[in-house]
């Protein structure tokens, strides 16, 4: 059966192009031109994935995710954003988005991400079409040890605590790899042959949190049509990773404390006590000690969890890892996309070193994946495949030189005038103008074209030309 995708965007042309592309690739694509219409459609039909712009006319991506997750905690949502919104886009990951894609959209990037969702939600399941279903290759190791002092210290801490049964609290910004570290601790422990189960507490409503953690019995509440295992049962003998633990309500925290103390629990609506042997690793991007001091987190639960804590540094604090991490993600993404590239141009790596990476490892991975899709088979990744916002800081000195050249011409130094120079200056001026307008309207191409007084097709052609 073909997989169903819901596209939510107020850009009619983008919706049309994306739906046609996905239909050709074997998906069933439906479109909604506002957040409220998209949510209404999701309530009436079953969708395997949702693709939504972050900035909609009637709501933003954060509200959309919250409403969709309230309807279906397991909804797989991809957020479309401009690079000026990267920090916000990474934040909505905490609300439960599967991932984000930056504008301008690359159809193959959308397809690759959808295929990952299908594989994740249905083992071996990818987009189905008239051809035989394909299987994604097995991914290489998901942990990168790193070479920076901060990364090496992080790995040593993980290795030390892995040999114990201590509960662990992981602190760090969004995108720093907390789940990867939790899995690494599991893989280095004596529980490595048992399940590793992750649950994003940031996506759970108070009503559903108990069911997700402890399971429920048929008829326990409206919608409980069958008995269901909770994450504690699924992780039996292994490791349970609870991300964004600070988002759990105080009521659910009380139930969690009881399980940790007594090592047994009851399913929602059930009477039978179930024994549990699970190691718990939790993660938070806020200080849990400060949270309990402010009354948002139980102090007794904090002390139960805080047997060992690890801080994950942001990528900007471990710059020595940027280049090797880029190579690591290159290997992973080539396998994911089925494409081969020969590496990075030196100028690309220089840009990477200067970028501040507000989205941390997640942003770097997405940038590498996007560049691979824009690079011809067998070629090296060039700066032309990078979003203008990434190379902006790196290109600043060149802009000063361009200004000096124009100033010299205006001062009568005609010996440096050449057709190529004039063409280059004009092209760069046009590029800077278009990018300034796009940033002003949050990369809404329809609005940008209107402000620039050109049609949207001309704008698309100019943007495509800037990449070559």
């Amino acid at each position: 059966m073909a997989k169903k995708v819901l596209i939510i965007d107020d850009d009619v042309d983008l919706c049309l192009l994306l739906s046609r592309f996905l239909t050709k690739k074997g998906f069933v694509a439906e479109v909604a031109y506002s957040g409220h219409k998209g949510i209404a459609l999701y309530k009436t039909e079953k969708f395997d994935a949702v693709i939504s712009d972050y900035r909609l006319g009637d709501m933003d991506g954060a509200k959309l995710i919250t409403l969709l997750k309230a309807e279906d905690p397991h909804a797989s949502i991809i957020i479309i954003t401009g690079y000026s919104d990267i920090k916000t886009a990474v934040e909505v990951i905490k609300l439960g988005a599967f991932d984000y894609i930056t504008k301008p959209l690359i159809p193959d990037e959308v397809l690759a991400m959808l295929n990952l969702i299908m594989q994740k939600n249905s083992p071996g399941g990818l987009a189905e079409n008239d051809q035989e279903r394909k299987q994604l290759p097995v991914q290489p190791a998901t942990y990168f040890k790193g070479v920076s002092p901060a990364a090496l210290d992080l790995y040593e801490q993980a290795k030390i605590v892995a040999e114990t049964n201590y509960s662990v609290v992981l602190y760090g910004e969004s995108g720093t790899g907390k789940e990867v570290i939790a899995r690494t601790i599991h893989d280095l422990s004596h529980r490595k042959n048992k399940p590793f189960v992750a649950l994003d507490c940031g996506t759970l409503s108070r009503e559903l949190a108990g069911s997700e953690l402890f399971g429920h019995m048929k008829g326990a509440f409206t919608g409980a049509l069958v008995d269901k295992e909770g994450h504690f049962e699924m992780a039996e003998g292994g490791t349970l990773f609870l991300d964004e633990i600070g988002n759990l309500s105080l009521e659910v925290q009380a139930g969690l404390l009881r399980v940790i103390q007594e090592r047994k629990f009851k399913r929602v609506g059930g009477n039978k006590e179930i024994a549990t042997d699970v190691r718990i690793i939790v993660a938070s991007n806020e200080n849990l000690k400060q949270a309990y001091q402010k009354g948002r987190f139980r102090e007794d639960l904090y002390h139960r969890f805080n047997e060992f804590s690890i801080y994950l540094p942001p990528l900007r604090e471990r710059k020595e890892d940027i280049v090797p991490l880029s190579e690591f993600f290159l290997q992973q993404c080539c396998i994911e996309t089925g494409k081969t590239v020969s590496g990075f141009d030196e100028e690309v790596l220089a840009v990477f070193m200067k970028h501040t990476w507000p989205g941390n490892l997640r942003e770097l991975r997405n940038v590498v994946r996007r560049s691979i899709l824009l690079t011809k088979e067998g070629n090296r990744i060039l700066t032309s495949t990078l979003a203008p916002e990434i190379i902006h800081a790196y290109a600043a000195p060149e802009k000063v030189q361009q200004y000096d050249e124009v100033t010299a011409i205006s001062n009568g130094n005609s010996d440096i005038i050449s057709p190529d120079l004039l063409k280059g200056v004009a092209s760069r001026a046009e590029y800077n103008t278009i990018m300034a307008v796009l940033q002003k309207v949050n990369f809404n191409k329809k609005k940008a074209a209107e402000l620039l007084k050109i049609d949207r097709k001309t704008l698309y052609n100019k943007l495509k030309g800037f990449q070559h």
Side-chain angles (χ1 to χ4, degrees), residues 325-364:
L325 260 173
S326 301
E327 299 287 351
F328 176 77
F329 288 138
L330 179 70
Q331 179 190 11
Q332 281 195 319
C333 294
C334 280
I335 292 176
E336 172 191 322
T337 60
K339 193 171 183 179
T340 302
V341 299
S342 58
F344 297 95
D345 185 79
E346 288 299 320
E347 191 174 0
V348 171
L349 296 178
V351 171
F352 283 2
M353 291 298 293
K354 285 183 176 288
H355 189 50
T356 56
W357 300 109
N360 292 299
L361 306 185
R362 184 182 286 115
E363 183 186 359
L364 177 58

Side-chain angles (χ1 to χ4, degrees), residues 156-170 181-192 194-199 213 231-243 256 259-260 263 275-283 304-310:
E156 283 304 311
Q157 290 184 66
K159 186 177 179 181
I160 289 169
V161 77
E163 299 172 358
T164 72
N165 268 321
Y166 288 3
S167 295
V168 183
V169 181
L170 303 178
I181 288 295
R183 186 178 291 275
T184 300
I185 292 172
H186 172 78
D187 290 342
L188 293 172
S189 75
H190 67 275
R191 296 176 181 266
K192 62 185 178 182
K194 296 293 184 178
F196 174 88
V197 179
L199 176 63
L213 286 166
H231 282 67
F232 269 93
E233 286 179 84
M234 290 188 283
E236 179 60 29
T239 302
L240 177 60
F241 172 60
L242 302 176
D243 198 6
L256 192 55
V259 175
I260 295 171
R263 294 291 173 182
T276 181
D277 173 25
V278 171
R279 183 199 195 145
I280 298 178
I281 301 176
V282 303
R304 284 284 182 178
F305 285 149
N306 197 40
E307 293 179 312
F308 195 90
S309 62
I310 299 177

Side-chain angles (χ1 to χ4, degrees), residues 40-187:
L41 193 57
Y42 194 92
K43 288 181 178 180
T44 59
E45 299 186 35
K46 170 67 177 176
F47 290 96
D48 297 282
V50 176
I51 303 172
S52 174
D53 195 4
Y54 177 74
R55 296 190 180 276
L56 300 168
D58 56 345
M59 66 178 69
D60 62 19
K63 183 176 180 181
L64 178 80
I65 292 169
T66 301
L67 293 173
L68 284 176
K69 286 291 183 177
E71 179 67 25
D72 176 11
H74 303 292
S76 297
I77 307 165
I78 299 170
I79 292 295
I80 303 170
T81 182
Y83 254 100
S84 58
D85 285 323
I86 281 291
K87 238 177 180 177
T88 306
V90 173
E91 287 299 312
V92 300
I93 298 294
K94 294 189 301 181
L95 295 174
F98 177 80
D99 213 330
Y100 65 85
I101 297 177
T102 53
K103 299 177 181 178
L105 287 187
I106 303 170
D108 285 343
E109 182 180 12
V110 177
L111 181 62
M113 196 171 289
L114 284 174
N115 280 340
L116 284 177
I117 288 175
M118 302 311 155
Q119 184 189 44
K120 175 177 177 287
N121 293 344
S122 178
L126 297 171
E128 296 180 18
N129 50 32
D130 293 334
Q131 301 174 356
E132 184 178 354
R133 179 185 293 180
K134 297 180 181 179
Q135 298 286 335
L136 279 176
V138 176
Q139 292 284 351
T142 56
Y143 183 72
F144 172 80
K145 187 174 180 180
V147 296
S148 68
L152 293 175
D153 181 59
L154 174 62
Y155 181 80
E156 283 304 311
Q157 290 184 66
K159 186 177 179 181
I160 289 169
V161 77
E163 299 172 358
T164 72
N165 268 321
Y166 288 3
S167 295
V168 183
V169 181
L170 303 178
Y171 292 107
E173 297 177 7
S174 293
T176 48
K178 294 187 282 291
E179 183 172 342
V180 174
I181 288 295
R183 186 178 291 275
T184 300
I185 292 172
H186 172 78
D187 290 342

Side-chain angles (χ1 to χ4, degrees), residues 198-254:
L199 176 63
D200 186 351
C201 299
T203 67
L204 297 179
S205 65
R206 179 160 50 182
E207 295 75 21
L208 291 176
S211 170
E212 290 296 320
L213 286 166
F214 313 125
H216 64 247
M217 303 303 292
K218 179 181 178 181
F221 51 85
T222 303
L225 304 179
V226 295
D227 293 350
K228 176 189 172 184
E229 277 191 342
H231 282 67
F232 269 93
E233 286 179 84
M234 290 188 283
E236 179 60 29
T239 302
L240 177 60
F241 172 60
L242 302 176
D243 198 6
E244 299 301 336
I245 187 71
N247 289 322
L248 289 178
S249 69
L250 293 175
E251 180 184 349
V252 175
Q253 290 177 31

Side-chain angles (χ1 to χ4, degrees), residues 412-451:
N413 294 337
S414 58
D415 56 318
I416 67 169
I417 296 177
S418 71
D420 288 339
L421 175 58
L422 290 174
K423 182 179 179 181
V425 170
S427 177
R428 286 188 290 265
E430 182 180 52
Y431 167 83
N432 290 335
T433 300
I434 289 176
M435 292 312 304
V437 172
L438 281 168
Q439 289 181 20
K440 183 178 180 180
V441 298
N442 295 304
F443 288 81
N444 185 313
K445 294 186 183 63
K446 180 180 179 181
K447 293 179 181 177
E450 290 173 355
L451 288 174

